[in-house]
Structure formats: C-alpha cells, structure tokens
Amino acid sequence: MHKILLSSLILLLSLNLSAQNKQDSLKKGARPKIGLVLSGGGAKGFAHIGVLKVLEELNMPIDYIAGTSMGSIIGAFYAMGYSATEIEKLVLSQDWETLLSDKISRKYIHVKDKINLDRYVISFPIKPTGIRIPAGIVQGQNIINLFEKNTIEFHNKTDFRKFPIPFVCIATDLETGEAVVLDKGNISQALRASMAIPTIFTPTEIDGRLLADGGMVNNFPVEEVIKMGADIVIGVDVQTGPKEKEELHSIEDIINQTISLMAKKEFEKNRKLCDIYIKPNIKKYSTADFQKADSLIYLGEKKATEQIRTLQQLIEKYKLSQTQNQNYPIVSDSSQFFIDQIQINGLKHVRKSTLLGKLNLETRNWISIKEIQKGINRAYGSKYFDKISFQLLGGNEKTLVIDVKERRTNRFNIGMHYDDDNKASVLLNTTFQNKIQDGSSLSLDLKLSENPRFTATYNLDNGLKPGYQFKLDLNDSEVFEFQDGKKIASYDLKYLKLDANIHSTFRESYSIGFGGKMELYRVSSKLSIPFVEQSDEDYFFTYYSFINMDSHERAYYPKRGFSLYGEYKLITNNGSSLDGNNRPASVAYLKAQKAISLSQRLTVYPKFYGRIIWGKAIPEVFLTYTGGLDQTNYFDIQVPFVGLRRMELASKNSFVFRTDIQFELFKNNYLVLKPNIGKVVDNVNTALTKGRWVKGVGLTYSYNSLVGPMEVTLSLSDLEQKVRGFINLGYWF
C-alpha cells in the first residue's frame, strides 16, 4: 500500500513539474513543444493518417510522439521520417488478410508439405504437460517481415528518443499488469509487442518481460508525451469506448469491450490533459475493418479539417513552423546491401547448415531486400520455426543478424470432412519435429469414418542433398463393382503398405526420388456365403520412381501455377517377377494441371490424368479405376472423372482430359463448369485407336470457407444420361 501511495505521489509531482515547466516556457516566449498522441483502435487507427495529412498541410511541427497499438505503428513510421502520404501508400498497398495471418506463399512451402497445408481446421501445440490452447492465433511473422523491411534505416538506432521525432510506445506486462514504456531496443519488436491483442496475437518477450497490447492499460498515453517535454498536446482518439450490452454480439466485441473497460479510467485522466482533442467519427467501423483503410483515412482527414481553425490559431499565436525533415529513404524490394557476414541466434536443435541452406544467401556479396525476405520465407515455410526475424547492422558492410524461435512444440491437428462417397470423417493428426534426428518430422494420421485409415510418416528433407522417408499405410474401404452403369457387387478392400524412398528437392516446389514398397491386399465380399472362401490375400513388392511439382499459389481454386505428379512402378510378388512370369508388370501414371487466369474473376484450369499398365496377369488391385470426384490419395489406382461414380469403370488404361472453367461470382464464391472426356482401354498398344470414349460434365457451386470448400455438384455422363448430385464439405484428406 505504501508503494502504491509513493508511486502516485511521484507521478503527481512529475506532472505538476511538467505543467510548471510548460507555463514557464510559454511565459518566456520560447516556441512551445508540440506532442502528438495516437490511440490504439485496430483498423480504426488508419484515421490517424488522415489527421497527419492535415497537420502536414498546415506545416505543424511535431516534437514528440507517443502511441499505443495501431497508434504506435503509425506514430513510429512518422517519427522515423515517413510522410503521411507515404504511410498512406504503404497501408493501402497491403493485403491485410494475409498480413494479419501467418500464411506465406505456397511457393515457399516444401512440396511434400503442400498436400498437408490445407487439411486441418484446428491446430494445438503439444507441451510436455499435454495439449494446450495456443497463446494467440497469430504469431505475427508477416507483420514482422513488413516492419523489418520498412525500418531498415533504423535497425542500428536503438534509442527511439533519438529518432527524427522522439518516440515512445506502450505495451502491457502480462505478468504484472503494468504499462511498459518502450523507448529503446528493436523498433520492429517494440511495435509488434504494442499491437499484440490478447488471444489474437501471441505476446512478445522483450528484456525478460512478456508483453502484449498496451491498450489494456494505457490506450491514450498523453502523460508520456508530457513527460517527454511536450508543452501542447494534440491527441487523436480512434477508440469506440465501452458499448452497451445490446451491442456485444461477437468475440471481437467482447475483446474490445474488455480492453476499453480496463483502460477506461486511465483514458479519462489522459483525455483531460489534451490541449487539442481530435476524435474522428468512425463509430460504425470495427477494429477489424482493414479493407476499409481509404474510408477511415478520409474520415480522419475530415475531422482534422473541422478543427483547422483551432490549429491555425495555435500556429499563428506561437509562430509555429515545421522544422524536421520528413524524408525517410524508402526501401524497395530491389534495394541492395553489402552483407559481410551472417549471424544466427536462437538455434538449438535445427542444424545451422539447414537454416543457411534455406536462406541461400552468400556473404561478401550485394544482396537485395527481396532476396533476404525470400530466404526468410523459405526458412519459415520449412515448419522448423515459429518466428524468424532479421536486422541489418553495421556501416557500409552489413552484418545480417537472423533471430529464430524454433518450433519445438509438437502439434495436434484436427480435420473434418463430408462427401457422398466417404461420408462423414474426422482426421486426427499428431506431428512431431526433430524426433530421432534433428530436422526430421514424424506425422501420425488417424482417419475416423466408415472407411478408416492410419498413416505414419517419418521424413527427413535435405534439399538438393538426398533425404529419405519411411511410411506405413493401413486402409479399410468399401469399393463397388459396376456393370452397364449398375452396381452389382460390394467388396471390403484392406491394404497394408510399407514404403521407403530417397528424394531430393529443388526450390521447394520440385521433388524427385525413387523407392520401394511391400504391399499386402485383402479383398473380401460384403456377402457372407457359408462354406465358400470369400477372401483373397496377396503380397506384392514394388519399385517406383517419381517426380512431384507444385507451383500453384493456393490449393483450392488457384488462379496461376502448374502441378504435376508422375510415377513409374514395377510390380512383383517375389522381388523380381510377377506370378511366375520372367518380367514384372509396369504401371505409369501422370497427373498434370495448369491454372490460367483470363481475368480477375475467370480462370481456366485444364487437367490431364493418365494411367497405363503393361505386362501379363495384372492383379485386379492394380487395374485402373475411372470415376469419381475424390481429391484424395487413398488409392493410386483411381483416375477422377466428372459424371461417373467413384471407381465405376475398370480397365488397364485410362486417359482423361478435363478443363475446369472457374468463375468467382464474389469473394470466395465460385461457379465451376467441369467438362471432361476420357478413354478407357484394355490394351496399351491400341490406346489411341480402340477402347471406349466417355463424356461427362459437371456444374459446381462452391463457397471457399475457413474450414474448406463447401461444394454442391450436379453431373452427367453419356454412360447413363442421368443427372447425379454430389456434396462435398470441408478440406479433402
């Protein structure tokens, strides 16, 4: 209690002294120092830019800046020398949906991980004490990338009070609940801490303190700018303030309400200390309206213009004029720096050579910002790290300092899916990093459904240097036999596969390799007939080589990019031959897809699927089965075909040509026309002259939701001339 009283007394005395100094300086006729305070408010903070534009037009000098959350970001950039117009351009050029997530371009994701990138709805870290809810939804990798690129000229300047305009920002110590004034250190980390909204962004550790959004304790830091020496304070407030209970409808509302209530008392005190108080009329906007930046900037400018007479009177009274030079040397992607050495901090389990290989940067060389950030994105896309940041320190010859936070927490992931073929299913996945060998991953999949599956994969990737993979796959599925378009039989197909391969990866998007499998198949009829053997069981040993490429910018509804998977396989049942023949059977498979964007909304997506078999006595489990919309890799014997039921036509060879015509009606809503034509034949030597042509078409309406595509498809083929419906909900897995 004594400590609290003492702290309050000291604060009161300091404010009285500041007020006295202010009066003394004004009496002496010295130019008063102008302090600018920018409140937090999420996206509503863009209104600060509009106010700054008006202050610049008036040539109003700003001597000190203090800010919280979004106010700290706008304030810091202005304090470093960015003009209001330059900040506006920076804000309007961002893809905020991507920026406020940890998503990076798929081109930086390893080709083996791309198939797993869009499978899970929920992901939790696994600690030694069990599964835990993460400290925040977003780590903030993309935000850090943005800050570091645009503050390069200040990486060496660790005292924020020595910026062209002295600057401080506010964060909250999550352990003590105290407001923390950040005025030194790494400016990118300070801004990241000040804006870390609890539960949305993970907190940031600085000097041993775990920091989050300063708005929880001081969202309008007027006192701080007075302590810095401001005689006159211009305060810009973009807070909505506490809402009535009838207005609290969402999680966002509750979080904002909590922050407003916590900082309400402090705000009311700070509000009274402002000499000029500017509050833009942005009540109808939310803290998440990042896509409405232009409107918010306009409203800030409008409100400041309404007070232009008051501001002009202040300028005229004290003969104010702007003395600082708002001229920050803008850094572009092509800006180059001479890198003398690379210093890496934070590595414990991941090998330094692995990280340097991902960065792919040569020292004693000129390197562009684009090359540095591409290297960081490749390293982040490896899944070895939760966060990667950089600084360029030194004079003409820079030291590139890379700070990493290793992803030591393992993950528990959940996926959910429904479609008319596989019915409802849930995917439970556990992924362990750096088990047995550093840089490796162990992934365990359990699919719970009418057709259950278990997969265990252990993988070590070394880039160009060969890596390896071991895989166990267990599957139990119901498959059907068709004749003349009618279902005539049902079978239970079980298989066990043990797979090992060696592979190399090029530029994250290309992989080649070879390997071998031991495969056990058991096929039994769904009808039980007494005294009749209903089960066939076969062992096979197969050898294969593959090439895998994927440069699509996204897995679902891509607008650009190319993907290809090709495989050649030799089938034996004793390691060298098949069923007593001197030669094994062969299978060749190719899938190729290319997205071609014709306009912002229209994309043409041609696809080709081909599978051919040659050899004698081909087992039925290796025949080619054409039909279905499945995008899974459960059966490498299936060739999709729109208009046919799943695995409806059995043959040795199948070729399917398909073109999806994809039109985005409005954001994340698609209408896709899917015409295809295919040929199924039983003799590889007559594939182009004989066999059966099949035609089909489908029309899909889809909403690409947060949990995956929600699709309804109507399809038709010339096999039956019957319209069939198909429903798919969620990510395929």
Side-chain angles (χ1 to χ4, degrees):
M1 189 66 180
H2 292 295
K3 290 182 178 179
I4 295 174
L5 290 173
L6 182 60
S7 299
S8 300
L9 182 60
I10 292 172
L11 177 61
L12 184 61
L13 288 172
S14 66
L15 289 175
N16 286 336
L17 287 172
S18 297
Q20 185 63 45
N21 291 336
K22 172 180 176 179
Q23 292 176 3
D24 291 344
S25 64
L26 294 179
K27 286 178 182 178
K28 291 177 181 178
R31 182 182 80 74
K33 300 295 185 181
I34 310 298
L36 177 66
V37 180
L38 305 178
S39 80
K44 293 184 291 185
F46 293 147
H48 293 314
I49 301 171
V51 175
L52 288 173
K53 291 173 72 174
V54 173
L55 295 178
E56 274 188 4
E57 290 171 5
L58 293 172
N59 209 28
M60 173 72 75
I62 302 297
D63 299 289
Y64 308 102
I65 298 177
T68 300
S69 198
M70 183 60 81
S72 71
I73 297 171
I74 304 298
F77 278 78
Y78 197 72
M80 286 184 285
Y82 280 84
S83 69
T85 301
E86 288 166 346
I87 299 173
E88 180 181 30
K89 289 179 181 177
L90 184 64
V91 164
L92 295 179
S93 65
Q94 300 306 312
D95 176 357
W96 287 95
E97 184 176 340
T98 299
L99 190 65
L100 296 174
S101 72
D102 291 322
K103 291 182 178 179
I104 61 171
S105 172
R106 286 181 88 245
K107 67 183 178 182
Y108 300 120
I109 305 295
H110 192 287
V111 66
K112 72 174 176 59
D113 292 324
K114 289 180 180 179
I115 193 171
N116 298 323
L117 194 60
D118 295 303
R119 293 205 306 169
Y120 310 124
V121 177
I122 307 171
S123 181
F124 301 101
I126 303 175
K127 304 280 186 174
T129 54
I131 297 172
R132 289 188 181 181
I133 296 175
I137 299 172
V138 180
Q139 291 281 349
Q141 180 65 36
N142 291 328
I143 285 286
I144 285 292
N145 283 347
L146 176 72
F147 290 164
E148 286 167 342
K149 172 187 172 183
N150 292 285
T151 64
I152 279 179
E153 295 298 325
F154 286 80
H155 285 189
N156 274 319
K157 299 174 182 177
T158 58
D159 188 346
F160 307 163
R161 295 176 187 267
K162 293 183 179 178
F163 282 6
I165 303 176
F167 168 78
V168 300
C169 62
I170 309 299
T172 301
D173 187 322
L174 289 178
E175 184 178 6
T176 65
E178 297 174 344
V180 178
V181 178
L182 298 173
D183 60 355
K184 61 181 181 301
N186 181 327
I187 184 62
S188 295
Q189 294 294 335
L191 298 181
R192 171 64 179 81
S194 181
M195 59 156 285
I197 300 171
T199 73
I200 304 300
F201 291 95
T202 56
T204 298
E205 185 174 338
I206 297 179
D207 296 333
R209 307 181 80 171
L210 196 62
L211 305 180
D213 194 316
M216 291 187 287
V217 288
N218 189 358
N219 207 27
F220 198 45
V222 177
E223 284 183 6
E224 298 307 324
V225 86
I226 291 174
K227 290 178 185 177
M228 294 171 76
D231 300 309
I232 296 173
V233 177
I234 301 172
V236 186
D237 177 19
V238 296
Q239 305 169 87
T240 303
K243 295 183 177 182
E244 301 294 330
K245 63 181 181 180
E246 292 80 9
E247 300 176 281
L248 302 175
H249 305 297
S250 65
I251 292 176
E252 179 194 342
D253 292 335
I254 299 300
I255 292 174
N256 291 334
Q257 183 81 347
T258 302
I259 293 174
S260 295
L261 291 173
M262 292 174 67
K264 182 179 179 182
K265 186 176 180 180
E266 190 71 18
F267 165 74
E268 290 173 350
K269 180 174 63 176
N270 280 304
R271 163 71 179 86
K272 295 175 183 178
L273 297 174
C274 289
D275 296 284
I276 297 177
Y277 178 69
I278 301 174
K279 187 172 180 61
N281 183 18
I282 52 176
K283 190 173 182 179
K284 69 176 183 178
Y285 293 87
S286 80
T287 56
D289 280 334
F290 292 93
Q291 307 302 330
K292 300 177 181 178
D294 52 349
S295 299
L296 287 160
I297 293 170
Y298 166 75
L299 290 172
E301 188 173 0
K302 180 181 178 183
K303 190 62 179 180
T305 303
E306 290 174 6
Q307 298 197 38
I308 202 165
R309 182 59 190 151
T310 302
L311 294 167
Q312 285 177 331
Q313 287 175 347
L314 180 65
I315 292 171
E316 292 168 1
K317 181 178 181 180
Y318 296 107
K319 296 181 174 56
L320 301 177
S321 62
Q322 189 171 1
T323 56
Q324 67 270 10
N325 181 21
Q326 293 297 115
N327 185 24
Y328 181 90
I330 301 298
V331 175
S332 68
D333 286 343
S334 59
S335 298
Q336 291 191 329
F337 299 87
F338 189 85
I339 306 301
D340 177 54
Q341 60 180 324
I342 298 176
Q343 176 184 322
I344 297 175
N345 302 321
L347 286 181
K348 295 179 181 178
H349 299 277
V350 178
R351 289 170 293 185
K352 184 177 180 179
S353 59
T354 299
L355 176 54
L356 289 174
K358 296 294 182 183
L359 293 172
N360 193 27
L361 301 172
E362 294 184 11
T363 56
R364 303 297 302 169
N365 194 21
W366 289 92
I367 300 176
S368 70
I369 291 301
K370 184 176 182 179
E371 289 173 309
I372 292 173
Q373 293 207 305
K374 282 177 67 175
I376 287 176
N377 285 334
R378 281 194 299 269
Y380 184 74
S382 71
K383 307 291 185 181
Y384 296 147
F385 308 99
D386 277 332
K387 194 181 296 182
I388 307 176
S389 59
F390 81 94
Q391 285 188 292
L392 285 173
L393 304 179
N396 294 329
E397 296 187 359
K398 302 285 188 181
T399 295
L400 174 61
V401 179
I402 304 291
D403 291 295
V404 302
K405 180 182 177 182
E406 290 186 354
R407 183 170 293 182
R408 287 296 295 161
T409 56
N410 303 310
R411 310 294 297 184
F412 176 70
N413 308 299
I414 301 174
M416 292 178 285
H417 182 82
Y418 173 87
D419 68 69
D420 287 340
D421 286 335
N422 297 285
K423 307 305 179 186
S425 54
V426 175
L427 176 65
L428 305 178
N429 169 269
T430 305
T431 301
F432 301 94
Q433 300 287 351
N434 304 309
K435 290 293 183 182
I436 303 177
Q437 188 170 353
D438 287 345
S440 66
S441 65
L442 172 63
S443 178
L444 305 176
D445 277 357
L446 177 61
K447 176 193 172 191
L448 303 176
S449 73
E450 293 181 3
N451 299 316
R453 186 187 190 198
F454 174 77
T455 304
T457 306
Y458 183 80
N459 189 87
L460 177 69
D461 178 66
N462 289 321
L464 283 173
K465 183 180 177 181
Y468 58 83
Q469 181 183 89
F470 299 107
K471 187 174 183 180
L472 166 67
D473 199 356
L474 293 165
N475 200 345
D476 183 359
S477 293
E478 182 180 15
V479 295
F480 301 102
E481 184 177 351
F482 298 87
Q483 184 175 336
D484 298 327
K486 296 181 180 180
K487 189 184 299 181
I488 61 172
S490 174
Y491 297 93
D492 184 43
L493 171 62
K494 296 182 175 70
Y495 69 65
L496 163 66
K497 297 182 182 180
L498 297 174
D499 183 354
N501 71 53
I502 297 174
H503 59 270
S504 293
T505 305
F506 307 84
R507 297 184 180 178
E508 316 306 319
S509 293
Y510 307 86
S511 182
I512 61 172
F514 62 90
K517 297 181 186 180
M518 190 282 286
E519 304 181 47
L520 168 63
Y521 291 89
R522 182 182 177 88
V523 182
S524 57
S525 173
K526 284 286 187 179
L527 297 176
S528 178
I529 303 175
F531 312 112
V532 176
E533 179 63 43
Q534 293 292 310
S535 177
D536 291 321
E537 193 169 281
D538 290 298
Y539 290 90
F540 299 95
F541 298 92
T542 62
Y543 310 97
Y544 66 93
S545 60
F546 70 89
I547 179 171
N548 191 9
M549 305 166 58
D550 186 349
S551 63
H552 288 307
E553 92 283 11
R554 55 187 176 185
Y556 294 91
Y557 315 107
K559 293 186 176 181
R560 60 183 181 274
F562 175 74
S563 66
L564 179 147
Y565 182 81
E567 182 180 85
Y568 174 72
K569 180 188 293 186
L570 291 175
I571 305 170
T572 79
N573 53 16
N574 61 10
S576 60
S577 62
L578 180 63
D579 291 335
N581 296 302
N582 292 328
R583 299 177 62 184
S586 296
V587 178
Y589 175 74
L590 179 65
K591 175 178 73 173
Q593 306 174 114
K594 181 173 177 59
I596 305 169
S597 179
L598 300 182
S599 69
Q600 188 173 359
R601 292 189 175 186
L602 182 62
T603 302
V604 175
Y605 196 18
K607 306 179 180 184
F608 170 77
Y609 305 92
R611 191 172 187 271
I612 61 174
I613 307 171
W614 61 98
K616 298 181 179 179
I618 306 296
E620 286 194 3
V621 292
F622 287 102
L623 290 177
T624 301
Y625 294 85
T626 305
L629 292 176
D630 295 49
Q631 296 182 25
T632 66
N633 60 347
Y634 298 164
F635 295 106
D636 55 9
I637 57 177
Q638 180 184 0
V639 173
F641 190 91
V642 180
L644 296 180
R645 286 170 290 186
R646 179 171 174 262
M647 301 172 67
E648 184 167 346
L649 296 180
S651 64
K652 282 188 177 180
N653 312 308
S654 178
F655 305 90
V656 174
F657 302 88
R658 169 176 156 186
T659 298
D660 290 1
I661 303 171
Q662 171 183 302
F663 185 76
E664 188 171 10
L665 299 169
F666 44 94
K667 187 175 177 61
N668 290 326
N669 287 262
Y670 297 88
L671 195 63
V672 188
L673 183 66
K674 301 177 177 179
N676 55 189
I677 183 171
K679 193 170 192 180
V680 291
V681 292
D682 284 324
N683 189 330
V684 68
N685 296 319
T686 59
L688 298 178
T689 57
K690 295 184 180 179
R692 180 178 191 176
W693 284 100
V694 184
K695 304 179 186 68
V697 66
L699 183 65
T700 298
Y701 174 78
S702 175
Y703 170 59
N704 194 20
S705 73
L706 292 174
V707 295
M710 304 293 182
E711 297 179 329
V712 177
T713 300
L714 298 177
S715 64
L716 174 71
S717 77
D718 61 352
L719 191 67
E720 288 188 276
Q721 295 291 334
K722 180 179 179 180
V723 176
R724 295 189 177 277
F726 186 82
I727 295 175
N728 166 65
L729 307 174
Y731 294 123
W732 291 93
F733 50 74

